[in-house]
Amino acid sequence: MGRFFTPFVLFLITLNTLLAQKGNISALKIKDIMQGDDFVGHRPSSPFWSTDGKTLYFDWNPESAMSDSLYAYSVNSKNIKKVGFLQANALPSSRLTYNQSKTKAVYAKNGDVFLLDLDTHQSTPITKTQERESNPHFTDDGKSIAFVKDGELYTWNVASGLIEQKTHFVKSKNDEPQRDSKDEWLYQDQLMIFSVLQERKAKRDAGEQISKKLETLQPLELETGGKRVISLQIDPSGSYITYILMDRPDSKGTIVPHFVTESGYTEDQNTRSKVGDEPTQYEMFVYDVENRKNYPVVLDNLEGLDYVPEYTKDYPDKTYENEDRIGYINAPNWNTDGSKAVLDIQANDYKDRWLVLLDPKTGKVEQLDRQHDEAWIGGPGIGRYRGGDLGWMPDGNKIWFMSEKTGYSHLYTMDINNKKTKALTSGEFEIYDAFLSKDKNRWYFTSNKTHPGDRQFYSMALKGGKWEKLTDMVGRNDIVLSPNEKKMAILYSYSNKPTELFIKDNPVETGGNPKAEQITKSNSDAFNAYDWKDPEIITFKASDGAKVHARLYQPEASVKNKAAVIFVHGAGYLQNAHNWWSSYFREYMFHNLLVDNGYTVLDIDYRGSAGYGRDWRTGIYRHMGGKDLSDQVDGAKMLVDDYGIDTDKIGIYGGSYGGFITLMGMFNAPDTFSAGGAIRSVGDWAAYNHGYTARILNTPATDSLAYKRSSPIYFADGLQGDLLILHGMVDDNVHFQDMVRLSQRLIELGKEDWEMAVYPVERHGFVEPSSWTDEYTRIFKLFQKSLLGKE
């Protein structure tokens, strides 16, 4: 029976596979490529060096286990071995905070704090508790280590081992209630009449005086008023403790019900609120430890606090109110002796960034730089939800920071005494992840100077000037330098070559032109069995004259069907027309399958995408679905004019922001797109979160025009082609409610040529291969039927 059963089962499996892949002539199968890393091969990630530079650690999973494990590569023996759990747990954290002389470092791991001697490479535990300690940093000129536990700041003296509590936060101080005039008269009269009361009061007063003297030996009570304490730290000298009180107004969240649960009952998840929240308030304070004084950081002298945004001119009858524009305040960046600090402050309407110099003795600030954008502040190294990259130059008289002053994110220095600014880099390209060498004699950074879709690693003299290119493999090169900076660990990938880990000598230290050595091979046999396409990076001219970058996949002439699919990447501020392995790697593989089936595929870095400077980044301000959509329409026209695509055979699809553009394309450009697959899409921006949406569209209450011209739900009547909506029911980012509302709108409008597929156990980023397979099988069928007339 066994001999008969096995081929019969194989026949059924083959039949089911053929049915699922009906019409697919590619060697690739949707079910296979939607297995993700299990099909491609699990990639190395998160490399970090041992403190002696002899070993490179990284996360990897070459065995396709349930999760990644830590692996170690020996620089000397060139062997790779898996690191055991206990050994991995004993290693220092990859995030170290150094003392001034770089002889010691501190780090937090598993809720405890450790001191690392960089000469012996030995770690000493400072705490070993059930509570969690965090944010360790050096203070008292390196003689003590500060850390936070249970919301209070403590110090540990390196020499004596003494742990001392330095702060004592209280909701409110318990001051004695004041007597009114009647009760005060009675009180004094009682003391005058009864001598025993006089004697008791004298004893009590004497005891209170002793208690007050003892209180001076304890931390000063710091009143919070019930607000949350964040960014708690002490300066390098140990003289000043700074903290921020955060007051976040209560905002109504959205309930996301889970229908498929272990309990068998529907379970509700309370998720984020919607855009338009009252702004969170931030107040910064300085606690003078020695003088036991606590005072606020005064920010009322910042330029532009009374700024009224330009968009309000569209609402002449509406009064604009924003009494306190101060938004997030980053923790101080101290100079070496703790006498000065730089603060990075954002406006709560996202249109200003201030760099200010803090005098901790007074709490007063001096403005150094104001970065203003009538759209919103952003760009590499400038900060999005928190602060940007900045620091002190070695001379202690200058700071360095990033700015989009020229329209591209570049590196600047400023003399804090005369406020003279110097641009260290310039040009129509971006700078990423700049940092100083350990000897502080030069810069290291990544840039897309060679091409918007190419990331290389560079070095430059401290004062600027000529760059030295340290990597040469076209694609993306993410670098982690060894402790002595003589070697580079490189996570490298190319368009059709997934990420692998390489090691290369640093030419700055060794000279010459050393070659990078690949140390991991992660591709599966199944992945290597296919000849993956290298998409062409092209540019085309948009209708407004802008030059748009895109990835183009072309089929062989023998199978070309004159149909095209345009893919729209998500996240808004993200890039996908580049020369490295895409984070959309399933979609990349799906595009290979489409091309094998005769489709031409175009993947556009539309307006709002990263890598092209400020004007491109803010090209969607107040109108999402404007230029970002017209770029897709212009790309479709280019395909028709230059690549022989039929005008009635163009489809569009994408997820998240890409799903939003798909909806806008199907509703507002029905003559261009015959079919669309909208995945986890935003249907109404008024239903999305505050931090992302308010930057681009302001708020619904203040800028309703921006929301009405940007939200697909207002344009659903324009649907003419075939629309497929796909959404996870437990999506806690773009809520499923958004698509339920849109479906009701389509029903009320009497639209028929649309369908919705729902995924009961999926959030915003799908994880189950079965869900991915179902999703892309439906998308493939949509294009086959709607563009080619194939059932």
Side-chain angles (χ1 to χ4, degrees), residues 64 148 160 257 275 306 400-401 445 548 575 599 637 650 739:
S64 294
V148 176
S160 68
V275 60
D306 59 351
W400 65 269
F401 59 96
F445 53 82
V548 184
Q575 183 180 7
Y599 291 90
K637 184 177 184 301
I650 301 176
M739 287 301 99

Side-chain angles (χ1 to χ4, degrees), residues 300-537:
D300 58 7
N301 61 340
L302 300 186
E303 179 186 351
L305 287 178
D306 59 351
Y307 169 73
V308 177
E310 282 82 349
Y311 75 84
T312 59
K313 295 175 183 177
D314 289 346
Y315 307 93
D317 298 328
K318 186 184 295 185
T319 301
Y320 178 78
E321 296 180 359
N322 191 357
E323 294 181 3
D324 182 6
R325 290 190 67 226
I326 299 298
Y328 190 79
I329 306 171
N330 283 274
N333 194 309
W334 294 96
N335 63 357
T336 55
D337 62 9
S339 61
K340 294 182 179 65
V342 178
L343 304 180
D344 187 347
I345 304 169
Q346 293 185 0
N348 60 21
D349 58 13
Y350 313 111
K351 300 180 189 303
D352 275 292
R353 177 196 185 199
W354 297 277
L355 301 181
V356 302
L357 191 65
L358 170 66
D359 179 0
K361 294 180 181 179
T362 63
K364 295 181 178 179
V365 301
E366 179 183 0
Q367 182 174 304
L368 298 175
D369 185 62
R370 178 193 179 194
Q371 298 175 18
H372 175 74
D373 197 312
E374 67 179 62
W376 75 95
I377 292 290
I382 296 170
R384 184 172 173 186
Y385 296 106
R386 291 295 181 255
D389 299 338
L390 61 87
W392 288 86
M393 295 295 284
D395 62 7
N397 293 317
K398 298 184 185 72
I399 63 167
W400 65 269
F401 59 96
M402 304 292 294
S403 173
E404 278 187 328
K405 183 178 180 180
T406 63
Y408 291 83
S409 185
H410 281 290
L411 182 61
Y412 293 80
T413 59
M414 174 187 285
D415 189 309
I416 63 172
N417 298 308
N418 58 28
K419 295 187 178 62
K420 287 186 177 180
T421 301
K422 179 182 179 182
L424 300 185
T425 62
S426 62
E428 294 185 356
F429 51 83
E430 307 270 41
I431 301 295
Y432 306 87
D433 305 321
F435 63 95
L436 289 168
S437 60
K438 284 196 172 178
D439 61 13
K440 297 186 177 181
N441 286 329
R442 62 178 50 250
W443 289 99
Y444 288 108
F445 53 82
T446 301
S447 178
N448 63 354
K449 182 179 180 180
T450 54
H451 184 275
D454 185 42
R455 298 273 184 94
Q456 300 293 334
F457 190 58
Y458 297 87
S459 179
M460 179 181 70
L462 192 65
K463 294 182 179 180
K466 185 179 179 181
W467 299 12
E468 183 175 359
K469 190 162 168 279
L470 306 180
T471 52
D472 52 19
M473 296 183 290
V474 174
R476 179 159 183 157
N477 296 266
D478 292 324
I479 310 299
V480 179
L481 291 176
S482 63
N484 61 9
E485 298 184 345
K486 291 185 177 181
K487 289 189 178 293
M488 304 187 300
I490 309 173
L491 284 174
Y492 169 75
S493 69
Y494 184 67
S495 302
N496 59 356
K497 297 176 182 177
T499 304
E500 297 287 9
L501 187 56
F502 291 71
I503 281 186
K504 179 179 179 179
D505 289 339
N506 182 359
V508 170
E509 298 289 339
T510 62
N513 185 27
K515 185 179 179 181
E517 176 185 357
Q518 183 175 339
I519 65 172
T520 61
K521 292 185 177 180
S522 310
N523 292 355
S524 69
D525 291 340
F527 182 84
N528 284 335
Y530 181 82
D531 185 15
W532 297 98
K533 296 164 183 61
D534 183 2
E536 182 184 359
I537 306 298

Side-chain angles (χ1 to χ4, degrees), residues 218-268:
Q218 301 299 320
L220 180 69
E221 285 188 343
L222 305 173
E223 195 169 5
T224 68
K227 300 172 184 177
R228 182 183 172 189
V229 178
I230 62 173
S231 303
L232 178 59
Q233 65 169 232
I234 192 167
D235 82 288
S237 71
S239 301
Y240 303 101
I241 294 173
T242 57
Y243 61 95
I244 295 168
L245 294 183
M246 182 177 76
D247 187 14
R248 176 174 291 165
D250 290 334
S251 299
K252 185 177 181 180
T254 301
I255 293 174
V256 174
H258 293 232
F259 293 97
V260 181
T261 63
E262 293 181 9
S263 69
Y265 292 89
T266 300
E267 299 173 4
D268 290 341

